Amino acid sequence: MELDLTPKLAKKVYGGDGGAYYAWCPNELPMLREGNIGASKLVLEKNGFAMPRYSDSAKVAYVLQGSGVAGIVLPEKEEKVLAIKKGDSIALPFGVTTWYYNKEDTELAILFLGDTSKAHKAGSFTDFSLTGPTGIFTGFSTEFVSRAWDLDETTVKALVGSQTANGIVKLAPGFKMPEPKKEHYNGMALNCEEAPLDVDIKGGGKVVLLNTKNLPLVGEVGLGADLVRLNGGAMCSPGMSCDSALQVTYIVRGSGRVQVVGIDGKRVLETTVKAGNLFIVPRFFVVSKISDADGLDWFSIITTPNPIFTHLAGRTSVWKALSPQVLQASFNVPEDVEKKFSSMRKAEEIFFPPPN
C-alpha cells in the first residue's frame, strides 16, 4: 500500500469565545494511525480557560505562541502551576490532569504530540473532561456523586449542571486564577528557545534536543523531541532515525522544501511546507529539508526518549566512515571521482549553509 505522507493542517474540533481546540485526523493523515501518533493544538484567546481534563495518551506539549498558565496534577501529587511561554516544552505522562489559562492579549497556542498505542483510537487523542456537559460526573447518578463527594443532592446538581460550556470557556475580566510558582517549573518543562544548544552551525542552523538528560520526565512519556531552526537557504542533511523511531514534524515558522526517500530508493514525498503543517517520516526513511529565504523552524517528536540519528552527508555521515575502496566499488566510479566525493563536506556536519 502506498503511503500518503502529504503534510496537513489541523482542523477545528470545538471552541467558542475563549478559544478553540484543533486536531489532525488519521483519516486525512494516515501515518498517524500507522504510527500510533496523535497530534492536536489548543488556542486560547484572552481570558480563555481550558478546563481540567486528562487523556488516554502520553504527550509532549510545545508552546507555539504567547504566554499563560498551565496547571498540572500528576497522579496522587499536588497541583503544579507553571508560567508558560513561547518555546516551552512540557512532558505530560499518562494520568496527568491539566488545565490552561491565558490572561494576555496575545493568543496562547500549544501543540500536543503523543503516543496513541494505548489509546482508544489509534492516531487520535481521547480527552476526558472533569466538568461541563461532557464531564465524567454527568454520567454518574446524583446518588453516586453525592456519596462520593459527601454532599447533598442539591449541591451536587449545582456542581455538575452549572457549567454548560464544553472544554473551553472565557472567564470574566479580573477573575482570579492561581498564580504560577517558579519552583513548579523545574523538572516539568524546558524552554527550547533558551536552553543550551546541542548543535550550532554558523550560517546553517541550530538544534535543541529534549531528552532524559535535560527533562527526565520525558522518559515516562516515552518520547524525545527537538526544536530545529534552519537559516534562510540552508539545507538539513539527508538523515534517518536509526533506532526504528518515527519522526513527527510540525512546522513552527517559515517555509521550505522537503524530500523523503523510502524503500527501493523511491522518493515518496516532495513538497513545500509552511507554518502549521504536520508530517510524519516513517521508520528508516531518509528526509532532507532546504529552507526558503526566511528560514524554517520545526518542532519534532521522536518515538523514543533518547533518539539516535544517522546522516548521509557531512563530516559525521556514514560515507566518511567507509573505506575508499568500498566507496569506489559501490558507486562503480574511477578513483578520482571517489576522491573528489570523499574530499567534500569535511567540516560541515548536519546543516549546510546556502551556496555562495
Side-chain angles (χ1 to χ4, degrees):
M1 183 180 71
E2 191 169 314
L3 294 173
D4 180 10
L5 304 183
T6 308
K8 295 291 194 300
L9 297 169
K11 290 192 173 181
K12 185 176 178 179
V13 180
Y14 61 84
D17 292 342
Y21 181 79
Y22 302 81
W24 282 266
C25 176
N27 291 334
E28 296 184 359
L29 192 57
M31 275 302 299
L32 290 172
R33 187 182 292 109
E34 290 282 331
N36 264 316
I37 297 294
S40 64
K41 185 163 58 173
L42 174 68
V43 178
L44 293 180
E45 305 293 339
K46 184 175 183 178
N47 296 321
F49 173 49
M51 294 183 285
R53 63 184 53 227
Y54 63 92
S55 176
D56 64 355
S57 304
K59 307 172 187 174
V60 171
Y62 181 75
V63 181
L64 299 167
Q65 175 183 307
S67 61
V69 180
I72 301 173
V73 181
L74 294 166
E76 299 182 358
K77 299 286 180 66
E78 67 172 357
E79 178 186 53
K80 292 184 180 292
V81 182
L82 288 64
I84 57 173
K85 64 179 181 180
K86 181 176 179 289
D88 276 338
S89 190
I90 310 165
L92 300 173
F94 276 114
V96 300
T97 297
T98 59
W99 56 263
Y100 301 92
Y101 174 63
N102 179 23
K103 64 179 179 180
E104 306 297 336
D105 292 330
T106 304
E107 283 185 343
L108 173 64
I110 306 172
L111 173 72
F112 299 94
L113 302 174
D115 174 16
T116 65
S117 60
K118 297 179 182 177
H120 286 274
K121 301 174 185 176
S124 297
F125 300 137
T126 299
D127 292 335
F128 295 83
S129 298
L130 298 190
T131 62
T134 59
I136 290 295
F137 284 94
T138 60
F140 284 104
S141 67
T142 304
E143 177 197 358
F144 270 61
V145 180
S146 177
R147 291 189 62 177
W149 290 350
D150 193 22
L151 291 171
D152 62 84
E153 292 193 2
T154 301
T155 304
V156 165
K157 288 178 180 178
L159 286 169
V160 174
S162 295
Q163 181 56 268
T164 58
N166 183 28
I168 300 171
V169 296
K170 187 167 188 173
L171 300 181
F175 187 90
K176 192 71 174 175
M177 290 292 283
E179 290 295 325
K181 297 181 179 180
K182 287 184 179 180
E183 62 269 24
H184 285 178
Y185 183 91
N186 297 331
M188 294 297 299
L190 177 79
N191 191 282
C192 294
E193 294 187 357
E194 298 174 355
L197 296 171
D198 292 280
V199 177
D200 185 5
I201 296 175
K202 185 177 180 180
K206 301 176 175 65
V207 180
V208 169
L209 298 174
L210 186 71
N211 53 35
T212 56
K213 293 180 181 177
N214 53 18
L215 191 61
L217 200 57
V218 299
E220 292 187 35
V221 177
L223 303 168
D226 60 17
L227 175 66
V228 180
R229 288 173 281 179
L230 196 61
N231 288 20
M235 180 183 194
C236 181
S237 166
M240 65 175 180
S241 169
C242 59
D243 50 5
S244 78
L246 289 166
Q247 187 173 357
V248 186
T249 298
Y250 176 86
I251 305 300
V252 175
R253 187 197 66 83
S255 59
R257 291 176 290 147
V258 175
Q259 291 187 359
V260 177
V261 175
I263 298 168
D264 295 328
K266 183 180 179 181
R267 189 186 308 153
V268 293
L269 179 66
E270 181 173 16
T271 191
T272 297
V273 292
K274 60 182 181 180
N277 281 153
L278 183 90
F279 68 99
I280 301 173
V281 179
R283 294 175 175 88
F284 301 110
F285 282 34
V286 178
V287 59
S288 183
K289 308 176 187 75
I290 297 177
S291 67
D292 290 338
D294 58 346
L296 183 65
D297 298 356
W298 65 87
F299 182 80
S300 295
I301 63 161
I302 303 93
T303 55
T304 178
N306 295 295
I308 302 171
F309 289 98
T310 292
H311 289 274
L312 300 179
R315 183 176 63 83
T316 58
S317 76
V318 65
W319 299 120
K320 301 303 181 188
L322 291 170
S323 58
Q325 297 90 335
V326 171
L327 293 177
Q328 187 179 346
S330 299
F331 283 124
N332 190 26
V333 294
E335 184 179 357
D336 62 319
V337 176
E338 180 278 318
K339 285 184 176 179
K340 184 176 182 180
F341 172 71
S342 297
S343 68
M344 305 304 286
R345 297 287 189 213
K346 283 193 170 182
E348 301 93 343
E349 293 194 22
I350 63 172
F351 299 136
F352 311 136
N356 295 326

